[in-house]
Amino acid sequence: MNMDFPVTCVHPSGRFIAGVHRPSYRVINNRMSSEILPLGKTTDNETVFNHANFPDEDLHIASADPVYEIPNAFPMWGVTYILGRIAEKNGAQHAGFSFKPAGSRHFSGSCAVDDIDLLKLPRVLLLAIAQTCTDPVLLSKLCPMAAGLVFSENGKPCGLRFREGNDGSLVPEILDHDLYDTLGNNPFLPDDLKALLLLNPGIQGTSPVVGEYSREDTHIWEYLRANSYIPWGHFAANMAQDSIRYSVKELDLGDITG
């Protein structure tokens, strides 16, 4: 780099400079198997499956989301890549995590856990319970407040309710995103609900699985994040829904090898 003419996001004229990538690329599909699962039901009671996550062929990403490349103010800091869709969304409105109570609900008095009416608790307490509670039964009771659930004939949760998103695709009905994320990160949530809420392939989107590692008790899916802040996409290796790990101490040599 010629330091006499440093690369910076600020032009001498005062204009802001940014590059735009419009990615197009091909990806080899090295996945060994497919696990087609029912994820839930639509508002019309039609079953939603995860076929989109398990393509049979190699992939051609013809037109991924644009990516902005912004040189930082000082050359030694390099550049920052920002996914165009996210930049435009956050530019229009700032999204942040908030513990602000919804409405004016209050809770007072003393009672047993089984007697607590969760619907009457302030939202700050619901979030605190979701984050710190070690009782699987109580955590399970919070799930219908976080997402629209589908129940089997015996009353057991068996999937999520799906609705049409802004782009016409089907998306899970998340009622409270903060509560949903907090519950999903609590290791004491029952494993079947962890899978149902966020671990089953497809429940968090249609990113295709193009790689897989499976040995003994280790099972890993490698997702392609086609619409990535990295212009040519990136891969995310996640433990599969049948190999749940919520702590570094739970990882073994097979997991690390995978």
Side-chain angles (χ1 to χ4, degrees):
M1 178 183 296
N2 185 343
M3 296 307 294
D4 293 332
F5 300 96
V7 178
T8 172
C9 61
V10 182
H11 189 270
S13 66
R15 292 183 291 112
F16 185 81
I17 299 176
V20 180
H21 297 267
R22 302 190 184 278
S24 175
Y25 52 92
R26 297 181 182 275
V27 176
I28 296 175
N29 188 351
N30 287 318
R31 193 186 67 253
M32 298 177 292
S33 64
S34 299
E35 289 196 23
I36 306 301
L37 302 171
L39 302 176
K41 292 184 178 293
T42 66
T43 52
D44 296 327
N45 219 34
E46 296 181 357
T47 303
V48 178
F49 291 93
N50 61 350
H51 291 93
N53 300 93
F54 294 101
D56 295 325
E57 309 294 336
D58 293 342
L59 302 180
H60 177 207
I61 309 302
S63 181
D65 285 351
V67 177
Y68 296 122
E69 180 179 343
I70 303 173
N72 286 300
F74 298 102
M76 70 287 294
W77 288 354
V79 299
T80 298
Y81 293 102
I82 302 177
L83 187 60
R85 173 167 41 86
I86 302 300
E88 291 163 7
K89 176 183 177 181
N90 289 338
Q93 62 180 26
H94 176 70
F97 188 89
S98 173
F99 279 103
K100 181 179 179 181
S104 58
R105 294 174 294 172
H106 298 278
F107 176 74
S108 61
S110 59
C111 60
V113 171
D114 291 341
D115 296 330
I116 295 177
D117 186 349
L118 294 175
L119 293 175
K120 294 182 179 180
L121 289 180
R123 184 165 177 268
V124 287
L125 286 185
L126 295 177
L127 290 166
I129 292 171
Q131 184 176 28
T132 63
C133 180
T134 60
D135 182 353
V137 175
L138 183 54
L139 291 172
S140 299
K141 290 181 179 180
L142 286 175
C143 290
M145 303 177 69
L149 300 183
V150 176
F151 296 88
S152 62
E153 294 182 356
N154 62 6
K156 183 178 180 180
C158 61
L160 295 187
R161 185 67 63 185
F162 281 74
R163 58 174 177 79
E164 189 174 293
N166 294 332
D167 60 356
S169 62
L170 291 175
V171 295
E173 185 181 57
I174 306 302
L175 305 176
D176 186 322
H177 282 274
D178 296 337
L179 186 60
Y180 171 84
D181 290 341
T182 306
L183 278 172
N185 282 287
N186 189 322
F188 293 95
L189 185 72
D191 284 353
D192 59 338
L193 288 175
K194 290 173 185 171
L196 183 150
L197 287 176
L198 77 164
L199 298 182
N200 284 335
I203 203 65
Q204 296 194 60
T206 58
S207 293
V209 180
V210 293
E212 181 180 8
Y213 182 89
S214 182
R215 299 286 189 280
E216 298 179 350
D217 295 329
T218 298
H219 191 192
I220 297 171
W221 298 121
E222 185 170 54
Y223 292 84
L224 168 66
R225 307 300 189 190
N227 291 320
S228 166
Y229 61 90
I230 299 174
W232 45 91
H234 76 272
F235 298 98
N238 296 345
M239 300 301 298
Q241 75 283 0
D242 53 1
S243 292
I244 299 175
R245 309 286 190 268
Y246 264 60
S247 168
V248 173
K249 294 179 180 179
E250 296 175 354
L251 297 174
D252 58 24
L253 184 59
D255 300 332
I256 301 301
T257 301

